[in-house]
Amino acid sequence: SSNYSIGTGAGAGAGVTVDGDVGLAAKRRGLTLHLSDGSTLKVQLEPLHVVEMKQATLKFFDLFKEKETWERPRRLDQIKVNLKSGGDHDRASLEMRLFMNPNAYPTAFQAKVLFNLKHSGGNGVEVSTEIPLSKFSESLDLYLSQN
């Protein structure tokens, strides 16, 4: 079990300041993603980004509900979400990408989210991992219930 933390803004833990706006940085909260192997990944985000990720997961669940009603298989649209924070001039940026393919899994319970996180500050860090949809959704729900 490993724990990773990547932050942006004042007091984010990584010591990287993305913007000088203390008000914006103060609005960021840590989203803890629980990965399939018991590891966690904590990311400092604006609440709006978490809401956008939650909306995408709800759409993904809806695609599986629709899929269950079909008599014959059909191809469904993949869901891609790209979010970016910071990155003005000489400042570091944080980019997140979600990729969800409903065609790759028979049910929502087996589905996974491909999560990519890239931080451009300092030497930069990039993490890509697959997270079970249920764990990803629970992590977002926990964040949203506390903020």
Side-chain angles (χ1 to χ4, degrees):
S1 170
S2 302
N3 296 311
Y4 306 94
S5 181
I6 295 176
T8 60
V16 176
T17 301
V18 170
D19 55 47
D21 182 355
V22 176
L24 179 63
K27 292 177 187 174
R28 290 190 174 122
R29 301 277 188 246
L31 168 65
T32 301
L33 296 171
H34 299 275
L35 309 180
S36 57
D37 66 353
S39 299
T40 60
L41 178 65
K42 186 170 184 175
V43 185
Q44 301 294 324
L45 298 171
E46 289 95 357
L48 179 60
H49 287 162
V50 178
V51 169
E52 288 180 51
M53 289 189 284
K54 182 60 184 178
Q55 289 172 342
T57 59
L58 291 173
K59 182 178 177 184
F60 197 44
F61 277 116
D62 287 345
L63 287 174
F64 278 102
K65 287 179 189 173
E66 181 183 334
K67 187 176 179 179
E68 290 174 8
T69 65
W70 297 343
E71 291 182 27
R72 293 182 182 207
R74 288 186 245 165
R75 190 136 183 90
L76 292 166
D77 290 336
Q78 300 169 350
I79 298 173
K80 298 177 184 177
V81 178
N82 295 308
L83 302 169
K84 186 173 182 178
S85 179
D88 297 333
H89 304 294
D90 295 330
R91 298 176 184 158
S93 69
L94 183 67
E95 295 177 51
M96 286 169 294
R97 291 186 184 99
L98 305 179
F99 178 75
M100 298 175 253
N101 183 357
N103 303 300
Y105 306 98
T107 69
F109 298 106
Q110 295 167 317
K112 293 184 180 180
V113 175
L114 179 59
F115 180 81
N116 176 272
L117 177 70
K118 184 177 181 181
H119 186 266
S120 68
N123 292 331
V125 173
E126 186 167 359
V127 177
S128 292
T129 187
E130 282 188 331
I131 305 172
L133 177 60
S134 58
K135 285 185 178 280
F136 188 75
S137 184
E138 288 170 12
S139 296
L140 297 176
D141 288 342
L142 181 61
Y143 175 95
L144 292 169
S145 71
Q146 295 174 348
N147 292 292

mmCIF file of all heavy atoms in Angstrom, residues 5 11-12 19 27-28 30 41 43 47 49 56 60 70 83 94 100 116 131 141 145:
data_model
loop_
_atom_site.group_PDB
_atom_site.id
_atom_site.type_symbol
_atom_site.label_atom_id
_atom_site.label_comp_id
_atom_site.label_asym_id
_atom_site.label_seq_id
_atom_site.Cartn_x
_atom_site.Cartn_y
_atom_site.Cartn_z
ATOM 1 N N SER A 5 0.977 12.070 -2.870
ATOM 2 C CA SER A 5 0.272 13.340 -2.744
ATOM 3 C C SER A 5 0.864 14.337 -3.722
ATOM 4 O O SER A 5 2.077 14.513 -3.760
ATOM 5 C CB SER A 5 0.390 13.873 -1.319
ATOM 6 O OG SER A 5 -0.298 15.089 -1.197
ATOM 7 N N GLY A 11 -0.104 25.932 0.693
ATOM 8 C CA GLY A 11 -0.347 24.912 1.703
ATOM 9 C C GLY A 11 -0.752 23.574 1.148
ATOM 10 O O GLY A 11 -1.370 22.780 1.822
ATOM 11 N N ALA A 12 -0.422 23.293 -0.069
ATOM 12 C CA ALA A 12 -0.880 22.056 -0.699
ATOM 13 C C ALA A 12 -0.011 20.860 -0.365
ATOM 14 O O ALA A 12 -0.330 19.749 -0.722
ATOM 15 C CB ALA A 12 -0.933 22.234 -2.206
ATOM 16 N N ASP A 19 -0.661 29.458 -8.368
ATOM 17 C CA ASP A 19 -1.116 30.823 -8.599
ATOM 18 C C ASP A 19 -0.969 31.617 -7.314
ATOM 19 O O ASP A 19 -0.915 31.052 -6.231
ATOM 20 C CB ASP A 19 -2.565 30.860 -9.108
ATOM 21 C CG ASP A 19 -3.522 30.132 -8.192
ATOM 22 O OD1 ASP A 19 -3.462 30.357 -6.972
ATOM 23 O OD2 ASP A 19 -4.309 29.335 -8.691
ATOM 24 N N LYS A 27 -9.636 27.491 -1.615
ATOM 25 C CA LYS A 27 -10.826 26.733 -1.995
ATOM 26 C C LYS A 27 -10.499 25.305 -2.406
ATOM 27 O O LYS A 27 -11.376 24.472 -2.509
ATOM 28 C CB LYS A 27 -11.549 27.434 -3.153
ATOM 29 C CG LYS A 27 -12.159 28.755 -2.755
ATOM 30 C CD LYS A 27 -12.794 29.423 -3.949
ATOM 31 C CE LYS A 27 -13.250 30.820 -3.580
ATOM 32 N NZ LYS A 27 -13.733 31.549 -4.740
ATOM 33 N N ARG A 28 -9.242 25.035 -2.645
ATOM 34 C CA ARG A 28 -8.847 23.691 -3.059
ATOM 35 C C ARG A 28 -8.881 22.755 -1.860
ATOM 36 O O ARG A 28 -8.472 23.113 -0.769
ATOM 37 C CB ARG A 28 -7.441 23.712 -3.655
ATOM 38 C CG ARG A 28 -7.411 24.409 -4.970
ATOM 39 C CD ARG A 28 -6.071 24.191 -5.646
ATOM 40 N NE ARG A 28 -6.141 24.769 -6.964
ATOM 41 C CZ ARG A 28 -5.334 25.715 -7.397
ATOM 42 N NH1 ARG A 28 -4.366 26.155 -6.641
ATOM 43 N NH2 ARG A 28 -5.471 26.199 -8.602
ATOM 44 N N GLY A 30 -8.329 18.437 -0.742
ATOM 45 C CA GLY A 30 -7.710 17.197 -1.177
ATOM 46 C C GLY A 30 -8.732 16.139 -1.555
ATOM 47 O O GLY A 30 -9.591 15.790 -0.753
ATOM 48 N N LEU A 41 -4.138 8.049 -3.750
ATOM 49 C CA LEU A 41 -3.544 9.177 -4.453
ATOM 50 C C LEU A 41 -4.341 10.400 -4.034
ATOM 51 O O LEU A 41 -5.552 10.441 -4.221
ATOM 52 C CB LEU A 41 -3.638 8.967 -5.968
ATOM 53 C CG LEU A 41 -3.112 10.074 -6.866
ATOM 54 C CD1 LEU A 41 -1.603 10.225 -6.695
ATOM 55 C CD2 LEU A 41 -3.442 9.776 -8.315
ATOM 56 N N VAL A 43 -4.959 14.474 -4.320
ATOM 57 C CA VAL A 43 -4.740 15.583 -5.243
ATOM 58 C C VAL A 43 -5.515 16.798 -4.743
ATOM 59 O O VAL A 43 -6.685 16.684 -4.391
ATOM 60 C CB VAL A 43 -5.236 15.220 -6.666
ATOM 61 C CG1 VAL A 43 -4.904 16.310 -7.647
ATOM 62 C CG2 VAL A 43 -4.672 13.899 -7.121
ATOM 63 N N PRO A 47 -13.174 22.448 -6.213
ATOM 64 C CA PRO A 47 -14.397 21.629 -6.164
ATOM 65 C C PRO A 47 -15.083 21.463 -7.515
ATOM 66 O O PRO A 47 -15.648 20.414 -7.793
ATOM 67 C CB PRO A 47 -15.292 22.383 -5.170
ATOM 68 C CG PRO A 47 -14.325 23.109 -4.285
ATOM 69 C CD PRO A 47 -13.176 23.494 -5.184
ATOM 70 N N HIS A 49 -13.797 20.952 -10.405
ATOM 71 C CA HIS A 49 -13.212 19.827 -11.137
ATOM 72 C C HIS A 49 -13.773 18.494 -10.642
ATOM 73 O O HIS A 49 -14.020 17.584 -11.436
ATOM 74 C CB HIS A 49 -11.693 19.829 -11.016
ATOM 75 C CG HIS A 49 -11.048 20.905 -11.828
ATOM 76 N ND1 HIS A 49 -9.768 21.320 -11.605
ATOM 77 C CD2 HIS A 49 -11.505 21.653 -12.863
ATOM 78 C CE1 HIS A 49 -9.455 22.284 -12.463
ATOM 79 N NE2 HIS A 49 -10.503 22.503 -13.231
ATOM 80 N N ALA A 56 -19.302 13.104 -15.152
ATOM 81 C CA ALA A 56 -18.846 12.138 -16.150
ATOM 82 C C ALA A 56 -19.100 10.705 -15.681
ATOM 83 O O ALA A 56 -19.518 9.852 -16.467
ATOM 84 C CB ALA A 56 -17.365 12.338 -16.454
ATOM 85 N N PHE A 60 -21.466 7.783 -17.312
ATOM 86 C CA PHE A 60 -20.944 6.439 -17.560
ATOM 87 C C PHE A 60 -21.894 5.379 -16.996
ATOM 88 O O PHE A 60 -22.221 4.400 -17.659
ATOM 89 C CB PHE A 60 -19.552 6.339 -16.936
ATOM 90 C CG PHE A 60 -18.701 5.192 -17.433
ATOM 91 C CD1 PHE A 60 -18.615 4.873 -18.775
ATOM 92 C CD2 PHE A 60 -17.941 4.451 -16.544
ATOM 93 C CE1 PHE A 60 -17.808 3.839 -19.228
ATOM 94 C CE2 PHE A 60 -17.132 3.415 -16.981
ATOM 95 C CZ PHE A 60 -17.073 3.110 -18.321
ATOM 96 N N TRP A 70 -30.777 -3.288 -23.985
ATOM 97 C CA TRP A 70 -30.679 -3.679 -25.393
ATOM 98 C C TRP A 70 -30.746 -5.180 -25.565
ATOM 99 O O TRP A 70 -30.210 -5.944 -24.782
ATOM 100 C CB TRP A 70 -29.364 -3.205 -25.991
ATOM 101 C CG TRP A 70 -29.190 -1.721 -26.027
ATOM 102 C CD1 TRP A 70 -30.145 -0.770 -25.894
ATOM 103 C CD2 TRP A 70 -27.959 -1.035 -26.181
ATOM 104 N NE1 TRP A 70 -29.596 0.479 -25.979
ATOM 105 C CE2 TRP A 70 -28.254 0.336 -26.156
ATOM 106 C CE3 TRP A 70 -26.646 -1.435 -26.350
ATOM 107 C CZ2 TRP A 70 -27.271 1.309 -26.289
ATOM 108 C CZ3 TRP A 70 -25.673 -0.468 -26.490
ATOM 109 C CH2 TRP A 70 -25.989 0.883 -26.457
ATOM 110 N N LEU A 83 -9.144 18.074 -17.656
ATOM 111 C CA LEU A 83 -9.226 19.211 -16.745
ATOM 112 C C LEU A 83 -7.825 19.767 -16.531
ATOM 113 O O LEU A 83 -6.853 19.010 -16.454
ATOM 114 C CB LEU A 83 -9.808 18.774 -15.396
ATOM 115 C CG LEU A 83 -11.190 18.131 -15.445
ATOM 116 C CD1 LEU A 83 -11.541 17.504 -14.114
ATOM 117 C CD2 LEU A 83 -12.228 19.167 -15.846
ATOM 118 N N LEU A 94 -1.481 21.606 -13.350
ATOM 119 C CA LEU A 94 -1.946 20.278 -12.997
ATOM 120 C C LEU A 94 -2.985 19.890 -14.031
ATOM 121 O O LEU A 94 -3.951 20.621 -14.239
ATOM 122 C CB LEU A 94 -2.563 20.297 -11.596
ATOM 123 C CG LEU A 94 -3.050 18.973 -11.034
ATOM 124 C CD1 LEU A 94 -1.871 18.044 -10.786
ATOM 125 C CD2 LEU A 94 -3.800 19.204 -9.735
ATOM 126 N N MET A 100 -13.122 6.674 -20.029
ATOM 127 C CA MET A 100 -14.026 5.585 -19.656
ATOM 128 C C MET A 100 -14.600 4.983 -20.927
ATOM 129 O O MET A 100 -15.150 5.699 -21.754
ATOM 130 C CB MET A 100 -15.142 6.120 -18.763
ATOM 131 C CG MET A 100 -14.642 6.692 -17.452
ATOM 132 S SD MET A 100 -15.946 7.436 -16.467
ATOM 133 C CE MET A 100 -15.573 9.170 -16.667
ATOM 134 N N ASN A 116 -5.329 9.788 -15.454
ATOM 135 C CA ASN A 116 -3.983 10.295 -15.722
ATOM 136 C C ASN A 116 -3.845 11.650 -15.057
ATOM 137 O O ASN A 116 -4.713 12.511 -15.191
ATOM 138 C CB ASN A 116 -3.760 10.414 -17.235
ATOM 139 C CG ASN A 116 -2.408 11.023 -17.562
ATOM 140 O OD1 ASN A 116 -2.283 12.239 -17.648
ATOM 141 N ND2 ASN A 116 -1.419 10.186 -17.726
ATOM 142 N N ILE A 131 -8.598 2.769 -12.184
ATOM 143 C CA ILE A 131 -9.301 2.752 -10.907
ATOM 144 C C ILE A 131 -10.671 2.132 -11.149
ATOM 145 O O ILE A 131 -11.383 2.554 -12.064
ATOM 146 C CB ILE A 131 -9.475 4.185 -10.346
ATOM 147 C CG1 ILE A 131 -8.119 4.886 -10.235
ATOM 148 C CG2 ILE A 131 -10.180 4.148 -8.995
ATOM 149 C CD1 ILE A 131 -8.220 6.362 -9.883
ATOM 150 N N ASP A 141 -17.752 10.920 -4.240
ATOM 151 C CA ASP A 141 -18.883 11.139 -3.335
ATOM 152 C C ASP A 141 -18.412 11.581 -1.950
ATOM 153 O O ASP A 141 -18.993 12.492 -1.339
ATOM 154 C CB ASP A 141 -19.730 9.872 -3.197
ATOM 155 C CG ASP A 141 -20.535 9.568 -4.438
ATOM 156 O OD1 ASP A 141 -20.730 10.472 -5.286
ATOM 157 O OD2 ASP A 141 -20.970 8.401 -4.586
ATOM 158 N N SER A 145 -19.304 15.151 -0.249
ATOM 159 C CA SER A 145 -20.086 15.194 0.992
ATOM 160 C C SER A 145 -19.378 16.008 2.078
ATOM 161 O O SER A 145 -20.013 16.483 3.015
ATOM 162 C CB SER A 145 -20.364 13.781 1.505
ATOM 163 O OG SER A 145 -19.183 13.186 1.999
#
